[in-house]
């Protein structure tokens, strides 16, 4: 049954943050990990009957890392 795999909710996004105080300033370093389990869930299927019927047409993108920061002054 393909319908149970479509838009599966096996996602886990994570954020790690560290705050540093530099004088009167505050610096925050961030690391975001999207799709940390590297799930490849099916997002859409071909619903036209034929040789490609129920073939996945779109899957979830792989793991993504994002580095960021914030400076409060």
């Amino acid at each position: 049954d393909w319908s149970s795999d479509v838009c599966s909710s096996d996602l886990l996004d994570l954020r790690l943050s560290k705050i540093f105080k530099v004088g009167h300033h505050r610096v925050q370093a961030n690391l975001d990990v999207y799709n940390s389990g590297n799930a490849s869930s099916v997002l859409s299927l071909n619903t036209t009957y034929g040789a490609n019927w129920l073939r996945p047409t779109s899957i979830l993108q792989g793991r993504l890392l994002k580095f960021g920061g914030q400076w409060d002054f």
Side-chain angles (χ1 to χ4, degrees):
D1 182 344
W2 280 89
S3 62
S4 63
D5 291 336
V6 176
C7 296
S8 178
S9 59
D10 297 337
L11 293 177
L12 178 62
D13 297 336
L14 301 172
R15 169 175 270 196
L16 301 174
S17 294
K18 176 68 178 169
I19 297 174
F20 303 96
K21 298 216 178 212
V22 181
H24 295 291
H25 304 279
R26 189 178 91 147
V27 177
Q28 180 176 345
N30 298 317
L31 170 65
D32 294 318
V33 182
Y34 300 101
N35 190 12
S36 61
N38 207 24
S40 57
S41 303
V42 174
L43 298 177
S44 62
L45 298 170
N46 181 357
T47 57
T48 305
Y49 187 73
N52 293 322
W53 185 55
L54 294 182
R55 178 172 289 195
T57 57
S58 177
I59 62 170
L60 190 63
Q61 290 184 354
R63 186 178 300 125
L64 175 71
L65 299 176
K66 181 173 95 172
F67 298 96
Q70 180 177 328
W71 177 31
D72 295 329
F73 54 94

